[in-house]
Amino acid sequence: FDPATLNAHRSSPMAEAAFSREEVSALRGIFSLYDTDDSGYISTKELEAVLQKIGRSGDDASAIMAGAEEVAKEGKITFDDFLQLLEKGNKDVPGEGPDPKVLEFLRILEEYRIKCEDEGNYLEAGRANAQVETLRRQEEKRQQKAIRARQINERTEVQIAHNMQYTDFNAAWDKYMEEYDNMAEMYIQQMTERHAVKLLEFQRGLQKEMTQKPPKWSRELLEWRRRQHILARQKNYAEAQKIKKIADSLEDKERGSMNTSH
């Protein structure tokens, strides 16, 4: 009778709290495959093989292995240590709720869309609006996939659920977030440049307006502009762009007539 071996076989309630009874049972079975001498311990090298078997890889696996080095005694860990290490790794996985990073990017894109719309750049506003819709759909899919992974995890062995959640899902999610990080950086840079250019144009225009009387536009032009802004607010950017071209042409014509009369 070895008390140390008996303690190694036990797992504390705190360690099991993060997993369901079925998960703990499945994880114990996988752990036992590598605990060949039934000592209640596996080596850190064997832990690496266990992580591969349950689908934990990449940065997640590296973080778990680093934690194992800290808690290991003579290069070995208990089942209790194993559960605690897995539970810490679980905290870094995107959950079922909205991702704050995605919400922030949606806010940036929406600001950019509104700014383009206000400036009459309807084609760019349309592209930004399409990106907003695409990102929202991707975020909904991510949340649905996380929910499905949890449901599978509750119904089946932990290996299947973990393989889905930590391997395929994380790889696709990392690629998807990398693409949108690049897009966010591009849009932020464009917005910064546009702000600087527009500020300079505004200052020049304000100075010019202060020295001139405001032009008196025809009713026809004002009607075209009204239709242009209504279409833009309805996000019908293609039609708004067409109306804007007509209004711009008429405005140039009227402005030329004003300049000639002065």
Side-chain angles (χ1 to χ4, degrees), residues 130-154:
Q131 291 292 348
V132 168
E133 295 303 320
T134 299
L135 182 54
R136 281 177 178 157
R137 287 195 297 270
Q138 290 286 354
E139 173 62 6
E140 288 174 2
K141 288 180 182 179
R142 183 196 70 79
Q143 293 182 36
Q144 291 169 2
K145 200 164 188 179
I147 291 171
R148 286 200 300 271
R150 174 178 57 78
Q151 291 171 342
I152 290 174
N153 190 49
E154 291 171 351

Side-chain angles (χ1 to χ4, degrees), residues 69-202:
E69 294 295 337
E70 295 178 4
V71 301
K73 297 176 182 177
E74 298 180 352
K76 295 183 177 182
I77 63 168
T78 65
F79 182 67
D80 196 3
D81 296 330
F82 175 57
L83 288 183
Q84 291 182 22
L85 291 166
L86 290 183
E87 195 268 334
K88 288 179 181 178
N90 280 340
K91 293 177 181 177
D92 295 328
V93 178
E96 298 172 14
D99 189 293
K101 196 172 184 181
V102 175
L103 294 179
E104 174 63 15
F105 187 32
L106 280 171
R107 184 187 65 78
I108 291 171
L109 272 177
E110 187 64 17
E111 286 182 2
Y112 182 66
R113 181 194 66 77
I114 293 171
K115 186 174 184 300
C116 290
E117 183 178 304
D118 291 341
E119 294 172 359
N121 191 355
Y122 299 127
L123 295 181
E124 188 67 17
R127 282 192 285 269
N129 189 59
Q131 291 292 348
V132 168
E133 295 303 320
T134 299
L135 182 54
R136 281 177 178 157
R137 287 195 297 270
Q138 290 286 354
E139 173 62 6
E140 288 174 2
K141 288 180 182 179
R142 183 196 70 79
Q143 293 182 36
Q144 291 169 2
K145 200 164 188 179
I147 291 171
R148 286 200 300 271
R150 174 178 57 78
Q151 291 171 342
I152 290 174
N153 190 49
E154 291 171 351
R155 296 195 305 266
T156 63
E157 291 186 355
V158 69
Q159 181 179 352
I160 298 174
H162 281 177
N163 279 340
M164 174 187 174
Q165 187 171 9
Y166 295 105
T167 306
D168 299 337
F169 166 66
N170 274 352
W173 174 248
D174 288 343
K175 182 180 178 182
Y176 150 62
M177 282 309 301
E178 182 180 357
E179 291 174 356
Y180 280 104
D181 280 343
N182 293 335
M183 287 171 55
E185 185 177 348
M186 179 188 69
Y187 278 120
I188 290 171
Q189 183 179 355
Q190 287 183 358
M191 288 177 68
T192 302
E193 293 172 353
R194 286 175 179 271
H195 275 302
V197 171
K198 288 298 176 183
L199 178 60
L200 182 60
E201 290 177 354
F202 173 77

Side-chain angles (χ1 to χ4, degrees), residues 19-28 153-158:
F19 302 95
S20 67
R21 184 180 301 174
E22 291 78 13
E23 286 178 321
V24 172
S25 176
L27 287 169
R28 190 183 291 280
N153 190 49
E154 291 171 351
R155 296 195 305 266
T156 63
E157 291 186 355
V158 69

